[in-house]
Amino acid sequence: MRAGADQAGLNTFQPLLSVDMDIGVFGSNWAYCDRLSSYVARMISHNRTDSLLFANLFSSAINELLETIFRTHSPSGRFTCSVARSGEIDRVRLSLPADAEVKAFYDTALARLTQSDAPEQYRASLFSEGPLDLSIGLFELAVDYDARFSLDLEIPDMLHITADLALDKAKI
Amino acid sequence: MATPQTSFDVVFDENNQEFSIIGAMRPESAAELAGCTALFEQSLRTVRGTLYLNVKRLVRLNNIGFRVLADLLIDACENKPGLKISVITSSVVGWSTRKFGTLSAVNDNIIVEQYDADFYPGQAFVEDDAIISLLRTQTKLTWRHERSMLARHGLKPDMAVADICCGIGDFAVLLQKEFEPGRLVALDHAKPSLDYARQVAKDFGVDGIEYVYGDASEMLLEDDQFDFVTCRHSLQIFDRPELILKELFRICKPGGRVYVTNEKNSHCLGEPRGESIQWTYNEVAKIVAHFNHDIEIGPKSRRLMLDTGFKDVKMESFMVTNMDGDPQDFADIIEAWKNLFAGKMATMRGDDPDFIKRFCQGFDDHIFAALHPKGYAGWPIWVASGQKPL
Ligand SMILES: C[S@@+](CC[C@H](N)C(=O)[O-])C[C@H]1O[C@@H](n2cnc3c(N)ncnc32)[C@H](O)[C@@H]1O
């Protein structure tokens, strides 16, 4: 079961940090993906079982999310990245400006992740010819990091994508 | 800020046919890796047989970077008959064994190996559950001395501190309680010891110690991070202690200090039965040397520190004895040494029973001296610290 972050458990999550910026600023520099993922990973890792290992894994995972958003978003509005924690689960929540086309991209991508052949699809696109599938990062999270996603498309011109990660117990 | 940053190094070592990638590789497009690609293709021309791709310290890699590397490796195997590629990953990085592992499914000539303890022959002796109680007792006795020495070597509250080769973490717990560092990282390469360490910290209600799995000779900790770096009784388990000191130097802040403790086992002593004790500890030094380690480093610490580039090197020594509290603690340490040196190590070296008997006798005599009402038994230790120049 990969899609569908647990909505009911929402209020047991403790907010850890939130970073907010103009999507135009975020989208202006590819290096922000790396910096933001490394920063967030470092900030939230110190009280995990192995802080260094956890930070590496967390950074790798959210960097893929951020790179996906870097490539697929609407041009103007706010971009927010926040992390909340409940026990072993870290909930990454990303809000971004999204028109109908952007929403359709995420909606379709997440639907593909729930298919039973998602691991095969992921590996096939990893070794395919031509440009990388834009949803490869989402596939990697779902397949290799066992992320559980949920998507909120109800807000006009915005979307929220939530990924629940349990990397502390992951046997990666 | 404007240009995307791909902060990695690539190095080709022709002698070992080893292509290493170190750092973070998260390009926006394949074109950014042109330099790496060119070096790889050039290196490939000189390779016969097996090419080693070392990604032990490739900490971050995105899918764009992975695809470039995957294409290079797969093309190389397809176009160069007889070529094998061995990708060397590290368990410390977390994601890389799995990620590179997918390559083996695509081409049989690519194998992925996670490098681990086998690399250091000495680790077989120390990454072992039985060692836990030995380290515990040792630290209990050494702490009585070091507790007051640490401040003389520059340790103060609120510092960022790292204890490298922390073992079961007792020393880190004692540091945390006594010196209240601002940050405390304790690193070791034995998972059972780290699990034990985390449990101990939890049982004692000590929070805030970051127990980290890692290899002291190639740490993933960043440069210039710590005010005070300790490494106790551990240089002796590496065949090239200078490489560890280099790493301790690297993670230490300029102006910070690195603190090491080392032994010289041939100088262990006791009375009565001094001669037998001395004979055995001379043999300890020899058997450890046989396995390419040096348990006699103590007095050499000053030179090692200076050669690494430390300045203001301070040195002192102390003797753990049977009169430091309960003599049974001292005796327990010797019993554990006997099992390690005259048990495991002597068996591995293939020593004959007569030798082993005499070897054991010296440890038994040391225990006898320790428990004797008028006896005296000692284990000398050298402390050295040096400053990383500003
Ligand atoms: C003799 S013990 C000393 C432990 C501790 N400092 C003490 O004084 O109790 C050596 C330690 O080094 C660790 N070790 C061995 N190889 C290592 C490596 N490559 N990287 C980090 N630690 C290592 C062992 O697991 C062991 O805990």
Side-chain angles (χ1 to χ4, degrees):
Chain A
M1 176 60 208
R2 295 196 174 87
D6 166 25
Q7 294 295 331
L10 201 62
N11 42 15
T12 65
F13 277 82
Q14 301 294 323
L16 295 182
L17 100 179
S18 178
V19 181
D20 183 288
M21 67 179 99
D22 187 89
I23 191 81
V25 172
F26 176 67
S28 69
N29 187 342
W30 178 255
Y32 287 150
C33 301
D34 178 47
R35 285 197 208 142
L36 187 57
S37 57
S38 301
Y39 169 77
V40 171
R42 189 175 313 162
M43 295 306 285
I44 67 157
S45 296
H46 61 93
N47 47 7
R48 284 308 194 187
T49 309
D50 187 313
S51 54
L52 215 53
L53 181 62
F54 185 87
N56 270 348
L57 291 173
F58 199 83
S59 167
S60 295
I62 65 162
N63 182 61
E64 291 302 329
L65 272 177
L66 295 176
E67 289 189 6
T68 306
I69 290 169
F70 186 93
R71 297 199 192 273
T72 309
H73 59 259
S74 288
S76 58
R78 296 306 288 175
F79 166 57
T80 315
C81 168
S82 62
V83 185
R85 176 169 294 172
S86 171
E88 279 180 336
I89 299 177
D90 290 293
R91 173 165 292 179
V92 184
R93 193 162 190 267
L94 300 147
S95 307
L96 55 145
D99 58 20
E101 204 182 324
V102 171
K103 286 182 180 182
F105 164 80
Y106 287 97
D107 201 19
T108 313
L110 294 198
R112 281 170 67 203
L113 303 184
T114 61
Q115 292 165 4
S116 59
D117 66 345
E120 290 76 24
Q121 286 195 54
Y122 165 55
R123 280 186 242 295
S125 51
L126 206 51
F127 296 107
S128 67
E129 300 284 322
L132 264 184
D133 185 332
L134 285 175
S135 40
I136 187 135
L138 301 174
F139 267 102
E140 180 169 18
L141 255 77
V143 173
D144 279 347
Y145 293 85
D146 225 3
R148 291 155 178 249
F149 285 105
S150 72
L151 197 58
D152 182 353
L153 302 169
E154 299 306 312
I155 310 142
D157 303 319
M158 282 286 284
L159 71 79
H160 300 303
I161 179 164
T162 306
D164 282 355
L165 292 159
L167 301 181
D168 213 16
K169 61 165 193 198
K171 285 183 195 62
I172 290 189
Chain B
M1 287 289 247
T3 45
Q5 183 189 323
T6 42
S7 48
F8 61 87
D9 288 318
V10 283
V11 188
F12 181 60
D13 171 355
E14 199 171 335
N15 278 337
N16 295 316
Q17 303 204 128
E18 184 181 58
F19 191 86
S20 305
I21 311 175
I22 297 152
M25 189 184 258
R26 286 177 173 172
E28 183 172 5
S29 70
E32 285 166 46
L33 302 184
C36 170
T37 305
L39 181 65
F40 183 84
E41 283 168 350
Q42 188 193 327
S43 309
L44 191 61
R45 278 185 227 120
T46 70
V47 172
R48 301 282 169 276
T50 303
L51 168 72
Y52 295 91
L53 176 71
N54 176 341
V55 292
K56 288 188 307 196
R57 295 177 84 172
L58 176 59
V59 187
R60 292 177 237 150
L61 175 70
N62 67 3
N63 279 306
I64 298 158
F66 177 76
R67 253 259 286 242
V68 171
L69 297 180
D71 284 349
L72 282 175
L73 302 187
I74 294 167
D75 284 355
C77 285
E78 283 173 357
N79 298 325
K80 198 169 166 125
L83 177 73
K84 291 209 185 309
I85 296 181
S86 173
V87 183
I88 316 288
T89 63
S90 156
S91 55
V92 175
V93 172
W95 53 265
S96 59
T97 306
R98 181 205 63 225
K99 187 98 187 184
F100 284 97
T102 57
L103 288 165
S104 302
V106 179
N107 192 307
D108 289 343
N109 289 324
I110 305 179
I111 54 163
V112 179
E113 290 176 278
Q114 183 164 291
Y115 111 113
D116 57 22
D118 294 351
F119 230 67
Y120 301 103
Q123 286 178 342
F125 301 117
V126 284
E127 290 196 4
D128 171 336
D129 284 352
I131 230 78
I132 287 179
S133 70
L134 168 63
L135 296 182
R136 244 210 129 170
T137 318
Q138 285 189 177
T139 307
K140 186 168 152 193
L141 297 191
T142 51
W143 180 251
R144 291 167 176 268
H145 301 266
E146 286 180 82
R147 179 185 202 161
S148 58
M149 300 176 107
L150 283 158
R152 285 205 289 282
H153 289 263
L155 180 59
K156 296 190 199 79
D158 281 329
M159 283 185 156
V161 179
D163 184 33
I164 306 305
C165 301
C166 65
I168 53 164
D170 278 5
F171 182 73
V173 168
L174 293 165
L175 276 188
Q176 181 83 341
K177 288 203 267 193
E178 184 88 11
F179 289 90
E180 301 181 351
R183 183 181 180 204
L184 179 52
V185 171
L187 177 145
D188 201 275
H189 198 262
K191 286 189 171 160
S193 297
L194 288 172
D195 287 343
Y196 186 88
R198 291 185 183 111
Q199 194 56 45
V200 169
K202 206 169 144 203
D203 292 348
F204 285 94
V206 174
D207 298 326
I209 305 176
E210 296 175 48
Y211 287 104
V212 166
Y213 174 60
D215 175 1
S217 65
E218 296 198 82
M219 291 187 281
L220 299 182
L221 294 166
E222 289 163 36
D223 299 354
D224 305 334
Q225 291 289 299
F226 298 97
D227 302 292
F228 200 79
V229 179
T230 58
C231 180
R232 301 172 53 267
H233 304 277
S234 296
L235 295 181
Q236 67 206 30
I237 58 165
F238 297 94
D239 51 356
R240 298 185 60 193
E242 65 279 10
L243 297 183
I244 308 302
L245 276 170
K246 223 172 125 190
E247 277 290 274
L248 304 178
F249 185 91
R250 183 181 66 75
I251 64 170
C252 183
K253 286 183 192 166
R257 292 187 75 87
V258 169
Y259 168 103
V260 296
T261 68
N262 292 294
E263 301 159 48
K264 181 174 172 79
N265 250 282
S266 63
H267 278 36
C268 284
L269 50 81
E271 283 300 339
R273 304 188 182 174
E275 255 174 57
S276 154
I277 295 170
Q278 198 175 346
W279 182 86
T280 284
Y281 284 97
N282 277 324
E283 291 303 321
V284 168
K286 288 186 207 159
I287 199 166
V288 174
H290 174 83
F291 291 101
N292 284 329
H293 302 129
D294 185 359
I295 201 142
E296 301 280 286
I297 286 182
K300 302 174 192 167
S301 311
R302 184 176 178 207
R303 174 177 58 77
L304 283 168
M305 300 291 287
L306 289 168
D307 287 352
T308 309
F310 291 103
K311 60 174 209 185
D312 184 27
V313 172
K314 291 184 185 158
M315 228 173 127
E316 52 189 312
S317 60
F318 64 91
M319 178 96 80
V320 170
T321 77
N322 60 328
M323 295 172 72
D324 295 341
D326 185 351
Q328 188 59 48
D329 285 339
F330 192 95
D332 289 347
I333 293 179
I334 309 310
E335 185 67 35
W337 286 355
K338 178 174 139 184
N339 293 334
L340 180 65
F341 299 120
K344 274 198 215 167
M345 282 197 183
T347 312
M348 264 181 97
R349 190 169 61 169
D351 292 339
D352 64 63
D354 285 344
F355 173 85
I356 294 184
K357 197 167 161 225
R358 189 169 172 202
F359 200 14
C360 287
Q361 188 60 47
F363 292 112
D364 291 337
D365 289 339
H366 206 196
I367 293 171
F368 181 81
L371 299 178
H372 192 286
K374 295 182 189 167
Y376 182 75
W379 167 38
I381 293 164
W382 281 262
V383 173
S385 73
Q387 189 190 41
K388 176 167 171 176
L390 279 166

